[in-house]
Structure formats: structure tokens, C-alpha cells
Amino acid sequence: MITQDLSQIIRRQVADSIDVEMVAPSRFEISTPFMFSDGDHCGFTVTHDPQSGWQLSDEGEVASKASYEGIDVLSPGRVERFRKLVEFYGLTESKGALSLP
């Protein structure tokens, strides 16, 4: 019971903190209450292409933020683990941008 109540509180607070802005007819920018270590909010975009459908992308922000911390997620020592994680979660990676069709 307590777990369920806490779960509902967290869902409500997180959902209330998500902002969706339409910046073009087929492009939405989503900001979340989650933050990177530098204080920037973690966000992503949702775009629609008539041929490929809806796509959610971080547009390279995760890899970029990691590089600011001195971490190259695509370096030879990490690339295989990175690709396995991407594949496990059903993502695609292109030039450091993570996407979910």
C-alpha cells in the first residue's frame, strides 16, 4: 500500500515536471526534471517522418555530456559495451545520437 502510494506520488511529480513544446508541425522538444551533472536538464526530441513514423532522440546530448566529463562512449575500449546497451534497449546510434523508433 505504501509502495503504491509512493509510486503514484513520484509519477505525478515527474509527469507534472515534463514540458512538451511543439517547435514545428512534426517536431516536439521534451524537457524533463532529470538533470545532468552540469545542471542542464535532460531532454529529448520527438519527430515524425511519414516514411519511418515517430522517433524519439537525444540528438547526441548524452554522448556530448559524457565527453565534457572526459568520457568517450565510442572509444575502442567502450564501443562494444555501448553498442550492446544500445541494442539491448532497442535504440539506434548515429554519430553519437541515440534514437528510438
Side-chain angles (χ1 to χ4, degrees), residues 21-90:
E21 180 182 357
M22 183 167 65
V23 294
S26 60
R27 180 182 172 84
F28 298 86
E29 291 184 354
I30 315 297
S31 64
T32 72
F34 306 109
M35 299 179 91
F36 290 104
S37 62
D38 64 0
D40 286 348
H41 284 273
C42 178
F44 53 93
T45 61
V46 177
T47 55
H48 185 262
D49 179 320
Q51 276 80 32
S52 60
W54 289 99
Q55 185 167 6
L56 181 138
S57 176
D58 76 336
E59 297 188 321
E61 187 150 16
V62 170
S64 176
K65 293 291 183 179
S67 72
Y68 298 156
E69 299 289 328
I71 301 165
D72 180 4
V73 295
L74 299 175
S75 69
R78 294 188 172 107
V79 72
E80 185 58 33
R81 285 180 283 177
F82 178 78
R83 298 219 186 276
K84 284 182 183 178
L85 280 170
V86 165
E87 182 180 310
F88 178 80
Y89 286 106

Side-chain angles (χ1 to χ4, degrees), residues 3-21:
T3 303
Q4 187 176 22
D5 292 340
L6 183 58
S7 176
Q8 289 173 348
I9 290 168
I10 291 170
R11 277 193 194 107
R12 188 171 43 251
Q13 287 180 348
V14 170
D16 287 347
S17 299
I18 293 174
D19 184 45
V20 179
E21 180 182 357

